[in-house]
Amino acid sequence: MVAEDTHQNAKPGKDKKGGSFWRELPVLIVVALVLALLIKSFVVQAFYIPSESMENTLLKNDRVLVNKLVYRVRDIERGDIVVFSGVDSWAGEVQFDPPANPVAGFFRWVGTAFGVVPGEKDYIKRVIGVPGDKVKCCDEGRITVNGVPLDEESYLYPGDVPSLGNFEIDVPPGRLWVMGDHRSVSLDSRAHGGDPGGGAIPIDQVIGRAFVKVWPFDRAGILPIPETFGQKGLAAAAGAAPLLLGFAGAFPLMALRRRIRVKR
């Protein structure tokens, strides 16, 4: 009899726990979505690769993770693969039909936020030149940065040349010269010479650095900076310009200081 009473008393408690779980489930889902959106907005975001412009480094329909914090602790470097927004700037490489209704628009927004579908105005390219760099093509079939030729064999699409057309640009302050790894199909900085900046993109439009492939699993791996961008001559040539400008500005200041002393 005692055992029977215990069994009967336990049953309502079990139902209560089950009911409590189902009542809390919507809250848990909302909290999980909010946390995911906060992480996506400020830390790491998944992006969908919509085109062939970065082959074979990244293939169409690949997914990558983008670090949104890295450029708060270091500058953007040559060789980085960056995701940036082309809103009010570049036209999209891939055209998408507009959502048929608000519900479809909401699900597209959610899909874009979590890297399930591509963003209409987001781009992914490799940084070739940073502010102050002189980027030129071609020197014996190679792109040069500040006069130093790049060995692009490790990431350039097989059979592609560095560029089908010649170009030369001094990358303006606050901008980056970016190119796809599949040069023959990439609508990159070369294709936007008539835009502000001569095709170079604004640094403040950069969302973050793509640092790892996560899908498909058999191709997952990190996205390192190619060794050719580690050549000492690249940094030295670019770094000399600010230093020379600093000296150029210092001499007039010193002369002015001497005049003030003489007057005194």
Side-chain angles (χ1 to χ4, degrees), residues 86 177 218 249 259:
W177 184 264
D218 61 348
R259 289 183 180 180

Side-chain angles (χ1 to χ4, degrees), residues 47-64 93-96 116 118 124 157 182 185 213 215-216 219:
F47 276 88
Y48 180 106
I49 307 302
S51 72
E52 298 87 0
S53 69
M54 283 297 293
E55 292 178 338
N56 277 336
T57 304
L58 298 170
L59 304 183
K60 186 177 180 179
N61 301 324
D62 279 358
R63 272 73 160 182
V64 298
E93 290 183 310
V94 179
Q95 300 300 319
F96 301 97
V116 179
I124 184 164
Y157 185 79
H182 194 171
V185 302
K213 291 178 286 187
W215 182 264
R219 300 187 61 252

Side-chain angles (χ1 to χ4, degrees), residues 34-207:
V34 170
L35 289 175
L37 286 173
L38 287 173
I39 292 170
K40 167 257 175 186
S41 299
F42 301 106
V43 185
V44 174
Q45 183 175 353
F47 276 88
Y48 180 106
I49 307 302
S51 72
E52 298 87 0
S53 69
M54 283 297 293
E55 292 178 338
N56 277 336
T57 304
L58 298 170
L59 304 183
K60 186 177 180 179
N61 301 324
D62 279 358
R63 272 73 160 182
V64 298
L65 292 183
V66 172
N67 185 334
K68 291 187 166 186
L69 293 178
V70 63
Y71 296 135
R72 296 181 183 274
V73 297
R74 74 162 174 87
D75 293 333
I76 297 174
E77 297 179 2
R78 306 173 193 86
D80 280 352
I81 296 176
V82 296
V83 171
F84 60 96
S85 172
V87 173
D88 299 326
S89 177
W90 291 10
E93 290 183 310
V94 179
Q95 300 300 319
F96 301 97
D97 294 329
N101 53 64
V103 175
F106 171 76
F107 282 107
R108 172 176 286 184
W109 176 81
V110 172
T112 301
F114 291 99
V116 179
V117 297
E120 297 181 40
K121 282 289 188 177
D122 294 333
Y123 300 81
I124 184 164
K125 304 292 180 190
R126 189 181 298 278
V127 177
I128 303 298
V130 296
D133 282 348
K134 180 183 288 293
V135 184
K136 182 179 180 180
C137 190
C138 289
D139 174 36
E140 298 182 357
R142 298 175 298 180
I143 288 178
T144 61
V145 178
N146 302 318
V148 180
L150 299 179
D151 180 2
E152 302 190 280
E153 185 178 355
S154 66
Y155 58 86
L156 207 61
Y157 185 79
D160 267 8
V161 295
S163 179
L164 293 173
N166 295 331
F167 63 85
E168 182 175 349
I169 183 171
D170 293 316
V171 183
R175 291 182 176 265
L176 305 167
W177 184 264
V178 296
M179 302 177 74
D181 289 354
H182 194 171
R183 299 286 163 77
S184 60
V185 302
S186 179
L187 298 177
D188 49 40
S189 287
R190 298 167 298 165
H192 295 272
D195 293 344
I201 65 164
I203 288 179
D204 59 13
Q205 292 282 54
V206 173
I207 296 169

Side-chain angles (χ1 to χ4, degrees), residues 212-253:
V212 64
K213 291 178 286 187
V214 294
W215 182 264
F217 291 133
D218 61 348
R219 300 187 61 252
I222 62 171
L223 298 168
I225 298 177
E227 291 183 1
T228 190
F229 292 99
Q231 299 180 77
K232 293 181 179 180
L234 293 177
L243 185 60
L244 291 174
L245 289 174
F247 276 116
F251 280 115
L253 290 175

